[in-house]
């Protein structure tokens, strides 16, 4: 393996479309592996092919997953702007967010790899989604901030393989502190609620 190609996001020559295709294919592969019900010989053959792919991709690497923060506009984000979060991390769940006035919204279908209780989204995944969405509200306000606290309430089962409606809105902006609340709904029923306190940082 050669030396890493600089720090995260430093590869200016990266073909984003090709990289997004690679990551999307990897996500699909992860699901295929997780749901595989084939014979041992087929599993062994697939493992060898994956080893070959890994060897090919490890010839040149960066230190961190690519996160193109520059894709979002600077300052307050306009109402109606859309951005897909975590496109380039195969372990994450890409979520297309639409910005409103002090708010964001999104829809998501959670697949089999996100299961916790039977047929339900894992509570930790719900917390991750809420942290991401609440943070997007803060970013929409033109602020750079970190999560101080995240409080979760699990109100009902959040089902897999069905459309979920996610939302978040700014509650209060007091100095460096921003309070944001969010939710996950399914078919008109509130499954999850979250409240986050974010602390604005310099830079």
């Amino acid at each position: 393996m050669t030396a890493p190609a600089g720090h995260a996001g430093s590869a200016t020559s990266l073909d984003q479309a090709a990289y997004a295709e690679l990551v999307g294919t990897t996500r699909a592969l992860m699901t295929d592996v997780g749901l595989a019900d084939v014979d041992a010989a087929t599993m062994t053959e697939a493992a060898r092919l994956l080893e070959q792919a890994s060897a090919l991709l490890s010839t040149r690497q960066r230190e961190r997953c690519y996160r193109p923060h520059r894709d979002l506009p600077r300052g307050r984000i306009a109402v109606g702007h859309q951005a897909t979060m975590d496109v380039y991390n195969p372990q994450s769940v890409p979520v297309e967010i639409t910005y409103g006035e002090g708010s964001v919204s999104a829809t998501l279908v959670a697949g089999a790899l996100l299961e916790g209780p039977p047929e339900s989204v894992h509570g930790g995944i719900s917390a991750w989604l809420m942290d991401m969405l609440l943070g997007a509200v803060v970013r929409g306000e033109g602020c750079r901030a970190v999560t101080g606290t995240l409080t979760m309430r699990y109100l009902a089962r959040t089902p897999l393989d069905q459309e979920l409606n996610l939302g978040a809105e700014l509650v209060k902006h007091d100095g460096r502190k921003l309070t944001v609340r969010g939710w996950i709904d399914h078919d008109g029923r509130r499954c999850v609620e979250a409240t986050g306190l974010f602390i604005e940082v310099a830079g």
Side-chain angles (χ1 to χ4, degrees), residues 7 25 66 70 75 78 82 108 122 129 163 176:
H7 60 77
T25 300
Y66 180 61
R70 62 180 179 274
Q82 293 184 323
L108 172 71
H122 192 290
L129 289 169
E163 185 173 277
R176 294 175 54 223

Side-chain angles (χ1 to χ4, degrees), residues 23-93:
V23 173
T25 300
T26 302
R27 286 198 190 96
L29 173 65
M30 290 166 65
T31 298
D32 290 339
V33 171
L35 301 179
D37 189 19
V38 296
D39 58 69
T42 302
M43 291 184 183
T44 299
E45 180 183 0
R48 297 293 82 77
L49 292 172
L50 293 178
E51 287 175 355
Q52 293 175 27
S54 179
L56 180 65
L57 293 170
S58 64
T59 56
R60 188 171 189 266
Q61 295 184 317
R62 61 181 51 81
E63 293 178 356
R64 299 287 184 268
C65 288
Y66 180 61
R67 300 182 67 186
H69 297 293
R70 62 180 179 274
D71 284 358
L72 286 174
R74 293 183 178 275
R76 189 182 296 270
I77 297 177
V79 172
H81 181 80
Q82 293 184 323
T84 304
M85 312 299 289
D86 284 359
V87 174
Y88 303 104
N89 185 338
Q91 187 165 282
S92 295
V93 183

Side-chain angles (χ1 to χ4, degrees), residues 14-193:
L14 179 71
D15 186 319
Q16 291 184 334
Y19 196 27
E21 180 182 8
L22 171 63
V23 173
T25 300
T26 302
R27 286 198 190 96
L29 173 65
M30 290 166 65
T31 298
D32 290 339
V33 171
L35 301 179
D37 189 19
V38 296
D39 58 69
T42 302
M43 291 184 183
T44 299
E45 180 183 0
R48 297 293 82 77
L49 292 172
L50 293 178
E51 287 175 355
Q52 293 175 27
S54 179
L56 180 65
L57 293 170
S58 64
T59 56
R60 188 171 189 266
Q61 295 184 317
R62 61 181 51 81
E63 293 178 356
R64 299 287 184 268
C65 288
Y66 180 61
R67 300 182 67 186
H69 297 293
R70 62 180 179 274
D71 284 358
L72 286 174
R74 293 183 178 275
R76 189 182 296 270
I77 297 177
V79 172
H81 181 80
Q82 293 184 323
T84 304
M85 312 299 289
D86 284 359
V87 174
Y88 303 104
N89 185 338
Q91 187 165 282
S92 295
V93 183
V95 179
E96 184 175 285
I97 293 174
T98 301
Y99 286 85
E101 186 65 47
S103 65
V104 297
S105 60
T107 59
L108 172 71
V109 176
L113 297 185
L114 306 183
E115 186 174 27
E119 304 298 323
S120 305
V121 178
H122 192 290
I125 297 297
S126 295
W128 176 82
L129 289 169
M130 286 290 90
D131 190 37
M132 180 174 65
L133 231 68
L134 271 58
V137 171
V138 173
R139 178 64 185 84
E141 293 298 297
C143 299
R144 184 170 181 261
V146 295
T147 308
T149 61
L150 180 66
T151 303
M152 300 290 298
R153 293 185 65 212
Y154 298 93
L155 305 173
R157 185 178 76 85
T158 306
L160 295 173
D161 301 321
Q162 299 183 41
E163 185 173 277
L164 305 173
N165 295 298
L166 288 66
E169 62 184 7
L170 181 67
V171 175
K172 184 178 182 181
H173 189 173
D174 183 14
R176 294 175 54 223
K177 298 179 181 180
L178 297 96
T179 303
V180 189
R181 74 178 190 97
W183 55 87
I184 301 175
D185 292 347
H186 170 253
D187 198 23
R189 184 181 188 185
R190 184 62 44 91
C191 302
V192 173
E193 290 181 345

